[in-house]
């Protein structure tokens, strides 16, 4: 059987169709990942049986490893579905798109309002349209889980920045924060007169020593820290006080 001869335009069209088919096969092999924030919101909504999950705040950070040619982009999303608020993260690298979590059980969700942290910032999501400003008070205390001992509670008051009608951000790392935290300080109190921020408190008080049978060293403790978010109106009056919690693992993820 004689194969028909293709002219130049037909060859170009054939090659374009083959490229499209190859691209579809690669996309299918990657599991049809969404490449936009709204697309990822739709995927999360399907996975967790939510309706109309809409972003209320999106943070994107780019970075690149020295041995890689393409940059990676981390995306952190606060989203709302009715009275339910959700937080999740995903990373894009080339054609790959991977949803990942600080918490082992996946997307974090709460009704009415949510408190979480990522990349050195504490976030509160909720119905904040009438709020002009906010403060957050996070309570930490020295922990010795293996001994059953705890120190006196210490409150860290954080000033909020309004990101949208559904989100506030609170920085919990002071400009004077020292990033040198020797493990010998784990479990101790600060030196007399030493000013510490919330991240210092995590470094000092929420690491448990491991026994020799576990290889020594330290393990970060799981703990939910109380976080009271106070919302203020345009006249400076208090609109509401939300009693929330934030996980130590999230605060340590800087």
């Amino acid at each position: 059987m004689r194969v028909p001869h293709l002219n130049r335009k037909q060859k170009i069209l054939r090659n374009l169709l083959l490229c499209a088919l190859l691209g579809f096969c690669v996309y299918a092999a990657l599991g049809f990942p969404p490449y936009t924030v709204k697309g990822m919101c739709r995927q999360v909504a399907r996975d967790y049986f939510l309706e109309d999950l809409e972003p209320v705040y999106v943070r994107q950070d780019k970075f690149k490893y020295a041995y890689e040619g393409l940059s990676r982009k981390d995306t952190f999303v606060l989203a709302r579905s009715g009275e339910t608020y959700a937080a999740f993260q995903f990373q894009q690298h080339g054609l790959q798109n991977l949803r990942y979590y600080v918490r082992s059980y996946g997307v974090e969700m709460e009704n009415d309002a949510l408190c979480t942290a990522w990349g050195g910032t504490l976030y509160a999501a909720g119905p904040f349209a009438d709020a002009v400003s906010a403060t957050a008070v996070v309570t930490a205390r020295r922990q010795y889980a293996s001994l059953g001992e705890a120190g006196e509670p210490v409150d860290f008051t954080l000033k909020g920045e309004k990101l949208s009608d559904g989100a506030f951000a609170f920085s919990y790392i002071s400009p004077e924060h020292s990033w040198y935290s020797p493990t010998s300080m784990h479990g101790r109190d600060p030196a007399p007169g030493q000013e510490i921020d919330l991240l210092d408190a995590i470094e000092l008080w929420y690491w448990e020593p491991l026994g020799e049978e576990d290889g020594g060293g330290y393990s970060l403790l799981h703990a939910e820290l109380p976080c009271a978010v106070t919302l203020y109106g345009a006249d400076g009056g208090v609109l509401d006080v939300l009693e929330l919690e934030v996980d130590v693992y999230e605060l340590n993820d800087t």
Side-chain angles (χ1 to χ4, degrees):
M1 181 177 177
R2 185 176 180 182
V3 179
H5 179 73
L6 300 178
N7 59 35
R8 181 180 178 84
K9 290 184 177 179
Q10 290 171 328
K11 289 181 179 179
I12 292 174
L13 179 61
R14 178 200 62 189
N15 292 340
L16 290 175
L17 290 173
L18 289 174
C19 289
L21 178 61
L22 178 60
F24 177 81
C25 291
V26 172
Y27 186 55
L30 292 173
F32 300 101
Y35 289 110
T36 65
V37 171
K38 287 195 172 183
M40 186 62 77
C41 282
R42 287 193 294 269
Q43 185 183 85
V44 171
R46 288 195 304 268
D47 291 348
Y48 291 87
F49 306 102
L50 300 172
E51 295 183 1
D52 303 324
L53 188 63
E54 294 292 332
V56 298
Y57 173 70
V58 178
R59 170 179 166 180
Q60 294 182 322
D61 296 332
K62 284 187 176 182
F63 69 98
K64 183 172 67 174
Y65 294 115
Y67 56 85
E68 291 181 335
L70 295 176
S71 297
R72 295 175 181 263
K73 182 168 69 174
D74 281 339
T75 302
F76 170 79
V77 181
L78 295 173
R80 177 181 182 177
S81 176
E83 296 181 352
T84 299
Y85 289 85
F88 62 90
Q89 304 154 39
F90 64 97
Q91 184 179 102
Q92 292 174 291
H93 183 226
L95 295 177
Q96 294 179 324
N97 194 0
L98 175 66
R99 201 164 78 218
Y100 69 99
Y101 320 97
V102 173
R103 297 189 174 198
S104 60
Y105 54 75
V107 173
E108 184 179 357
M109 289 187 293
E110 295 287 348
N111 291 327
D112 302 325
L114 175 150
C115 185
T116 187
W118 185 63
T121 302
L122 184 144
Y123 295 95
F128 302 148
D130 295 332
V132 173
S133 60
T135 59
V137 178
V138 181
T139 303
R141 63 172 66 204
R142 184 180 68 242
Q143 299 291 317
Y144 293 109
S146 60
L147 302 177
E149 300 179 2
E152 292 297 318
V154 178
D155 290 337
F156 294 87
T157 301
L158 314 174
K159 184 179 179 180
E161 173 190 358
K162 190 170 185 179
L163 305 173
S164 72
D165 285 346
F168 272 96
F170 306 84
S171 176
Y172 60 88
I173 303 176
S174 71
E176 295 78 25
H177 179 82
S178 174
W179 292 98
Y180 174 66
S181 299
T183 57
S184 60
M185 295 300 293
H186 289 337
R188 298 191 180 188
D189 287 320
Q194 179 184 358
E195 294 290 334
I196 65 171
D197 57 26
L198 182 55
L199 183 58
D200 287 322
I202 301 302
E203 289 289 332
L204 290 168
W205 298 336
Y206 288 87
W207 290 85
E208 182 179 19
L210 298 175
E212 293 183 2
E213 65 278 6
D214 295 320
Y218 291 82
S219 174
L220 183 63
L221 300 173
H222 267 298
E224 296 282 349
L225 304 189
C227 178
V229 176
T230 303
L231 306 174
Y232 301 92
D235 61 355
V238 175
L239 298 177
D240 199 1
V241 179
L242 308 175
E243 300 295 337
L244 307 174
E245 292 182 330
V246 61
D247 191 271
V248 166
Y249 267 63
E250 296 172 346
L251 292 169
N252 189 66
D253 182 43
T254 57

